[in-house]
Amino acid sequence: MERKEFLRSLGAGAAFALIFPCLQGCSKDEVDGNIVEEPTGVDFTVDLNSAESANLANNGGFILKNLVVIAKNLEGEFIAASQVCSHQSYDQVRFVNQNGGIFYCDVHGSRFDQDGTPLNQVDSAPAKAIKVYNTELNGSILRIFE
């Protein structure tokens, strides 16, 4: 019996039963991130001369600390936003060098302007802004606070 004949003999139901688990395994909802609460009472500092902040030396670089994305935007200004996406609370928001620099969550494709404004809607629920924090530079110490 040839493969084509064998598949025909199985019928659509059996073929679906065999293929369905494979399709589920490729789901975009399976991510490495976690669902977490948005941080509150944010007020901490980063020493820009430290090894942990090395990525902030270049425009477009970012680091993650205390569930906050701290970035040096493409204009060389420091900005900070919640690492927790407003869509479904995954901790996957990052700064990317697209459209002049945006915050982006790769779980479902949510995009946010540097002021936290949503740039797209990923499902039927209204898009919500992400929390943006104040930054203050004093020498080589960058303060991130609410």
Side-chain angles (χ1 to χ4, degrees), residues 44-67:
F44 62 91
T45 60
V46 173
D47 182 350
L48 296 177
N49 292 326
S50 70
E52 80 169 333
S53 64
N55 285 347
L56 296 175
N58 299 316
N59 293 0
F62 73 90
I63 63 170
L64 307 173
K65 184 172 182 175
N66 301 338
L67 290 176

Side-chain angles (χ1 to χ4, degrees), residues 1-11:
M1 180 182 291
E2 290 186 29
R3 182 173 31 151
K4 194 187 295 185
E5 291 172 12
F6 173 74
L7 291 175
R8 232 184 261 136
S9 71
L10 285 177

Side-chain angles (χ1 to χ4, degrees), residues 62-120:
F62 73 90
I63 63 170
L64 307 173
K65 184 172 182 175
N66 301 338
L67 290 176
V68 175
V69 180
I70 305 141
K72 188 172 188 182
N73 69 13
L74 302 181
E75 291 77 37
E77 300 166 345
F78 291 103
I79 56 175
S82 174
Q83 185 180 326
V84 181
C85 186
S86 62
H87 175 239
Q88 288 188 349
S89 299
Y90 280 99
D91 62 350
Q92 293 298 300
V93 174
R94 305 295 190 258
F95 185 78
V96 294
N97 297 328
Q98 297 174 359
N99 304 328
I102 61 169
F103 293 104
Y104 175 75
C105 179
D106 69 355
V107 176
H108 298 105
S110 296
R111 297 175 310 156
F112 306 92
D113 204 350
Q114 292 181 29
D115 65 2
T117 304
L119 296 172
N120 66 333

